[in-house]
Amino acid sequence: KYAVFWHAVLDSGARPIHLARELFERFRPERLEEADGFWKYRLGVEHGTKNAWIAYLTDFTAQRIMELRERGERITWYGVKCWFKRHTTGTYERPDGKPVPLPLRPKLVRKFAYNMMRRCGLDRDIAMWLNGRKPQGVDPEHYLDLERLADKQYPRYAAYLSKLRNALAARK
């Protein structure tokens, strides 16, 4: 059940708390729209510098969210935190010697998503906007332009996620 939450963070790069509260706790099907090979969910969160306008999701994650809703199951932010506490299995050591808790905290998955978006060729402003950050030099009236550009560029990142999931499934 909670794997869907981690997939949503990986897909969208949005702040975990915004996804938990808007996408999972207050899910409204009319906010979910299918785009060209991916899905968009309008979060509409603006809290000072912490924003989440739209969560872009792969088909894989969107299908699992809808299945979760059909079964009548809900994910809450409190539930995610409790799940994480119960399932912490230990740590591993990074090459620089710092310990990292397992499973990975959602904020680390979000960081990974941003870095992979950039590596897949998404413009810096687009990756920042998808992560809920306000790109410097872009006024709020131009966010619609960012959405159009994100619609064109997100399929590159979605293709990367598909390859990543296929590679992980092959290892099992």
Side-chain angles (χ1 to χ4, degrees), residues 114-132:
Y114 175 77
N115 289 327
M116 289 302 107
M117 285 178 188
R118 293 292 292 133
R119 210 175 265 180
C120 288
L122 272 70
D123 293 340
R124 183 179 150 273
D125 288 347
I126 301 303
M128 286 179 72
W129 184 75
L130 289 173
N131 273 240

Side-chain angles (χ1 to χ4, degrees), residues 124-125 128 133-139:
R124 183 179 150 273
D125 288 347
M128 286 179 72
R133 301 180 193 134
K134 292 180 180 177
Q136 291 179 340
V138 179
D139 297 325

Side-chain angles (χ1 to χ4, degrees), residues 71-143:
R71 291 193 309 258
E73 295 184 48
R74 270 183 70 205
I75 293 176
T76 63
W77 181 239
Y78 179 74
V80 169
K81 291 192 310 190
C82 289
W83 183 92
F84 189 79
K85 282 181 185 174
R86 280 194 316 268
H87 291 86
T88 299
T89 59
T91 61
Y92 82 92
E93 196 170 294
R94 292 186 344 191
D96 62 1
K98 290 184 180 179
V100 177
L102 293 175
L104 288 176
R105 292 177 296 178
K107 77 176 197 174
L108 296 177
V109 175
R110 179 175 179 251
K111 265 185 175 180
F112 175 81
Y114 175 77
N115 289 327
M116 289 302 107
M117 285 178 188
R118 293 292 292 133
R119 210 175 265 180
C120 288
L122 272 70
D123 293 340
R124 183 179 150 273
D125 288 347
I126 301 303
M128 286 179 72
W129 184 75
L130 289 173
N131 273 240
R133 301 180 193 134
K134 292 180 180 177
Q136 291 179 340
V138 179
D139 297 325
E141 60 265 14
H142 297 290
Y143 288 162

Side-chain angles (χ1 to χ4, degrees), residues 37 60 68 75 93 151 159 162 169:
F60 176 87
L68 192 72
I75 293 176
E93 196 170 294
D151 288 350
S162 179

Side-chain angles (χ1 to χ4, degrees), residues 2-69:
Y2 287 100
V4 176
F5 176 76
W6 264 258
H7 283 288
V9 173
L10 180 63
D11 285 6
S12 67
R15 285 182 175 79
I17 192 165
H18 294 157
L19 285 173
R21 295 220 168 112
E22 295 300 322
L23 179 61
F24 291 103
E25 290 179 25
R26 301 178 191 136
F27 181 80
R28 293 205 320 252
E30 65 272 7
R31 287 184 172 185
L32 186 65
E33 56 190 70
E34 191 170 6
D36 195 22
F38 56 91
W39 296 76
K40 299 190 297 189
Y41 186 83
R42 302 214 175 262
L43 298 168
V45 176
E46 289 193 49
H47 295 292
T49 60
K50 312 283 189 202
N51 305 295
W53 296 280
I54 298 176
Y56 280 66
L57 304 167
T58 60
D59 193 49
F60 176 87
T61 304
Q63 295 301 327
R64 274 146 190 80
I65 290 170
M66 288 185 271
E67 289 169 8
L68 192 72
R69 299 300 299 178

